[in-house]
């Protein structure tokens, strides 16, 4: 539908849901402008005529790839199934989903209850073939972008590995040394604990038995 079209009264009587999401904790801590712009969609919902507006930001720091649980997205789906939602507002398609399964499931539910999808580009009615086609393309582009990002990250990591410069996260108690590579943390207490764990494992032969033994020792 056009940006200037007035939303039906039946839609406005339901609630508008503003879905706020960022993929990583680093983005949550550092990319505050993106958060601010997403929260500003509340004003956009009011401008469209909604009175009851809910913000879902449970999924801040969670990827939309479909590989991790998203309680906020699940709550949105539950509200849609209950017919409580008149519109879903998001910054762009990638905020809602980066995989086709979740995206098309959401569009199907919006179409069933005649809820609208609103982003920075306009208002979409999934019941209309043209709007549904455009939303489908947005979801496909979002999924494609995620694939490109993953491929670039993999190629960069492989190039670093070939040069011997790849550094991965190491467990607590270990650090990367510039001269010798992986080694113990300088903290002597950590070194002692690590040596105790490995000594106990050699004796008991099971990580579970090590945990039980150390727990009993602490108590």
């Amino acid at each position: 539908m056009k940006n200037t079209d007035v939303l039906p009264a039946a839609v406005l009587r339901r609630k508008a849901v503003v879905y706020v999401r960022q993929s990583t904790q680093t983005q949550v801590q550092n990319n505050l402008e993106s958060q601010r712009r997403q929260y500003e969609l509340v004003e956009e919902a009011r401008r469209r005529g909604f009175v009851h507006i809910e913000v879902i930001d449970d999924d801040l720091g969670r990827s939309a790839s479909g590989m991790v649980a998203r309680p906020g997205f699940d709550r949105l789906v539950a509200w849609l199934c209950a017919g409580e939602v008149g519109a879903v507002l998001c910054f762009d398609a990638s905020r809602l989903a980066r995989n086709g399964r979740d995206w098309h499931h959401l569009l199907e539910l919006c179409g069933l209850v005649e809820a609208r999808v609103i982003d920075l580009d306009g208002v979409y009615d999934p019941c209309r073939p043209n709007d549904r086609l455009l939303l489908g393309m947005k979801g496909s582009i979002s999924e494609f972008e995620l694939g490109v990002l993953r491929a670039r990250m993999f190629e960069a990591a492989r190039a670093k590995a070939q040069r011997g410069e790849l550094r991965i996260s190491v467990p607590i108690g270990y650090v990367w040394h510039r001269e010798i590579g992986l080694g113990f943390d300088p903290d002597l207490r950590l070194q002692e604990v690590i040596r105790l764990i490995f000594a106990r494992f050699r004796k008991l032969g099971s990580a579970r038995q090590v945990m039980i033994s150390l727990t009993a020792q602490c108590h």
Side-chain angles (χ1 to χ4, degrees):
M1 66 187 295
K2 296 179 181 178
N3 244 339
T4 55
D5 288 353
V6 177
L7 293 172
V11 170
L12 294 175
R13 280 195 293 269
R14 290 179 259 161
K15 62 185 170 186
V17 178
V18 175
Y19 185 78
V20 178
R21 188 191 65 80
Q22 289 175 293
S23 299
T24 66
Q25 288 299 328
T26 300
Q27 290 179 350
V28 174
Q29 294 169 6
N30 300 326
N31 196 352
L32 302 180
E33 181 63 18
S34 173
Q35 282 184 47
R36 184 186 65 79
R37 295 184 68 189
Q38 291 185 64
Y39 282 115
E40 284 178 351
L41 289 171
V42 171
E43 294 303 320
E44 175 67 12
R46 289 198 182 100
R47 190 179 71 81
R48 296 284 179 184
F50 287 96
V51 176
H52 187 189
I53 303 168
E54 297 271 2
V55 175
I56 293 181
D57 54 9
D58 309 32
D59 298 339
L60 282 169
R62 296 174 182 264
S63 170
S65 63
M67 304 299 290
V68 298
R70 287 194 291 156
F73 185 81
D74 293 341
R75 185 148 55 98
L76 170 60
V77 169
W79 285 347
L80 280 167
C81 290
E84 300 176 10
V85 179
V88 179
L89 291 89
C90 59
F91 191 62
D92 55 47
S94 66
R95 300 303 101 188
L96 283 163
R98 283 278 197 181
N99 69 89
R101 182 188 66 251
D102 286 351
W103 179 245
H104 290 288
H105 180 53
L106 182 77
L107 296 186
E108 187 70 27
L109 292 175
C110 287
L112 287 173
V113 299
E114 298 185 0
R116 306 304 193 260
V117 176
I118 302 175
D119 64 12
L120 296 181
D121 295 324
V123 182
Y124 306 93
D125 181 355
C127 294
R128 296 184 177 185
N130 287 343
D131 286 8
R132 192 177 182 89
L133 175 63
L134 186 54
L135 287 170
M137 292 174 62
K138 282 175 174 276
S140 297
I141 291 171
S142 177
E143 189 173 19
F144 174 74
E145 286 175 344
L146 180 61
V148 171
L149 290 173
R150 283 176 171 168
R152 287 176 179 172
M153 291 172 64
F154 176 77
E155 289 301 323
R158 186 167 67 173
K160 283 187 175 181
Q162 290 174 341
R163 296 195 305 269
E165 298 175 1
L166 181 63
R167 295 291 181 267
I168 59 176
S169 299
V170 296
I172 295 174
Y174 294 89
V175 294
W176 285 107
H177 294 286
R178 183 179 297 275
E179 295 79 13
I180 63 174
L182 184 64
F184 280 119
D185 190 289
D187 190 324
L188 295 178
R189 291 175 299 176
L190 281 175
Q191 293 184 25
E192 183 181 350
V193 171
I194 291 171
R195 289 191 174 96
L196 172 64
I197 291 172
F198 278 102
R200 199 69 60 89
F201 181 80
R202 283 191 293 269
K203 179 181 178 181
L204 300 175
S206 163
R208 181 173 181 274
Q209 291 302 318
V210 170
M211 184 185 70
I212 293 173
S213 173
L214 293 175
T215 302
Q217 182 176 326
C218 291
H219 292 292

